[in-house]
Amino acid sequence: MANEEDDPIIQEIKPKQQKVELEMAIDTLNPNYCRSKGEQIALNVDGTCTDETSTYSSKLMDKQTFCSSQAASNVSRYAAAVYKKGELHLTPLHGILQLRPSFTYLDKADAKHREREAANEGGDSSQDEAEDDVKQITVRFSRPETEQARQRRVQSYEFLQKRQAEEHWVHLHYYGLKDSRSEHERQYLFSQGHGLAENTELIKSPSEYLMMLMPPSVEEENDKPVAPSNVLSMAQLRTLPLADQIKILMKNVKVMPFANLMSLLGSGTDSTAVLRCIQQVAMLVQGNWVVKSDVLYPKDTSSPHSGVPAEVLCRGRDFVMWKFTQDRWVVRKEVAAVTKLCPEDVKDFLEHMSVARINKGWEFMLPYDEDFVKKHPDIVQRQHMLWMGIQAKLEKVYNLLKEHLTPKKQEAQSAHPLLVSGEQRVNMAKAKVKQNYGQLEKEFQKQKAEMKSNDTSAKMDVSNIRIKEEPVSDEEPMDTSAYEGMNNGIINGLHAEEDSTDSLNGHLPGGCIDRVAQELKAFVSSTFKKQFVLTLSELKRLFNLHLASLPPGHTLFSGISDKMLQDMVLDTGCKQILVPFPPQTAASPDELKVYALWEAGDTYDQHRQVLLEIFSKNYRVRRNVIHNQLSQECGEDLNKQEVDRVLKDCCVSYGGMWYLKGTVQS
């Protein structure tokens, strides 16, 4: 013990937050004081005996302890102010403590109660024993305390509480409000300088002075949310960039007509800029904008109901959105059967964009926006192409049947069924034709005049005329029946209102045919130089996406058939690879047609050709077989990097085997 007391203090550790306790007397003679209650509390805390350790020596609760707590984390922004004779005197604050009642005496009362219970139990058991049992005592010698152990003991809560209890109270003398000492201390709150000449630091503009007095808090700026989550503040929202405003609005509203969106963005907003931004976060469904799935379900998130990853949720919600592009009604059981998702997730998808009708299904919540469709045909056309690409992905993932692709008749599920006779339908059709005839005639004459002006110097060569041949038996045409519900008049890149005999049969002027061929060849060449291997299905999907990025009236919208697309693939130096698919394959005819770029003009042409020859005989191959075959055919020992380069260009790995791109069957 002597050695421990002589140890020098190496480091004194103080708590980060100073704690102050203030003990104040209670007026027990006040009529509002309950004497019986005070005696009961003192008895519970100290018991019947009184000594120096008693909390209440008068056997009455005659004092109350207040313990301090930190009122603010950053007090440098606060000051004490006194207003006197038209002057405002400010005194900076270095600390603010809030005093609250301390109830440590209740802990002492509980401890006394436990001690009494333990003593009673011990006394009862001792009466039954004739004599004390002999107990074995184990003696242990404590090891010398190391420096680390001493530091841990000093920093422990028990040690700090013990030091706090041992600290002596400092007696304070209270001075009243009108006491001379209080008045003397109060004078320190007033500035002793007179005039602005001595206070040169205050010769600043009001805004600069307020900035010095109230600097922006870094903590508050970090804690301030980027955007409201549940409730939108329009004032705060309009301070954000236009793209962020649209994203936040669509994420909260889910479905919105374009006119409503423009009204929320405020007057003076450019509609062209809004159209450009809205297409980044939403898709067009029945003339209205529906927020994209990846905005609601970001990457690396999961479903709160089933834990399904965001990628699967986005795919299922895209299927629901696509179904609403085909019909106003969707059946929940059908969606659940196709997507294989839990009922809670499917219900969330449907509630985002539709309303449940008893014994009918789910109806799209907004009416068809004909005004937007008529004013912005180019946007409608581009969105239609994007939906075609999404449908191709959904068909491949969900193996959709014809019954899923064909929209149901709206008359069978109309919310308000109407009985219309055959004569009325004929009259309605005639009226609609008369209404649109003038506009269609003007557009047709305008395009005809443009064709004549572009071809005045060239004569039609009969030998150059090519008839657009659609396959009958072995070729599959582009299926566009699933997109008739979009009402945008585009079928396979062909405008329905331009459905003249010339454009249908391919009788286009020679210059127009050449331009179409050049554009198509440029697309095919650039695509295969990036991908090297593509199925016909994937090529058509990429072509539709390419059409969606083109401006309205582009030459490629004149009509491209499957036959023309395949002929152009072969003309650009590509070859069809006859991959021996397994007999039980569920791939579509377009997925069975695989094309590959035979010569790219680089040093790996020979390696790729050997690889393609391998897959013309095998559906899937192991890597070591490919490596050995390449080394044998090319006459050199290829390293791992070279083999990886060739495989990356043409193949994908799945389950330890290698397949040509697009040929993996899940």
Side-chain angles (χ1 to χ4, degrees), residues 81-99:
V82 181
Y83 185 77
K84 181 180 180 182
K85 295 181 181 180
E87 297 177 346
L88 183 66
H89 299 261
L90 299 176
T91 303
L93 300 180
H94 299 285
I96 302 176
L97 295 179
Q98 182 179 12
L99 294 176

Side-chain angles (χ1 to χ4, degrees), residues 460-479:
M460 181 71 71
D461 188 359
V462 179
S463 60
N464 290 332
I465 297 179
R466 297 194 302 175
I467 304 300
K468 182 177 181 181
E469 299 178 356
E470 293 294 339
V472 178
S473 59
D474 57 338
E475 297 288 346
E476 288 288 334
M478 289 188 183
D479 185 10

Side-chain angles (χ1 to χ4, degrees), residues 64-109:
Q64 174 69 56
T65 304
F66 293 86
C67 185
S68 69
S69 61
Q70 192 173 8
S73 59
N74 183 14
V75 298
S76 62
R77 304 179 62 226
Y78 298 92
V82 181
Y83 185 77
K84 181 180 180 182
K85 295 181 181 180
E87 297 177 346
L88 183 66
H89 299 261
L90 299 176
T91 303
L93 300 180
H94 299 285
I96 302 176
L97 295 179
Q98 182 179 12
L99 294 176
R100 297 180 179 179
S102 176
F103 301 98
T104 54
Y105 61 88
L106 296 179
D107 297 335
K108 294 181 179 179

Side-chain angles (χ1 to χ4, degrees), residues 29 81 114 186 213 261 266 326 358 402 424 470 477 535 624:
L29 300 178
R114 286 193 294 268
R186 197 179 300 116
L213 183 64
L261 178 61
Q326 311 300 305
I358 300 176
K402 281 293 181 181
Q424 289 177 336
E470 293 294 339
T535 62
N624 58 348

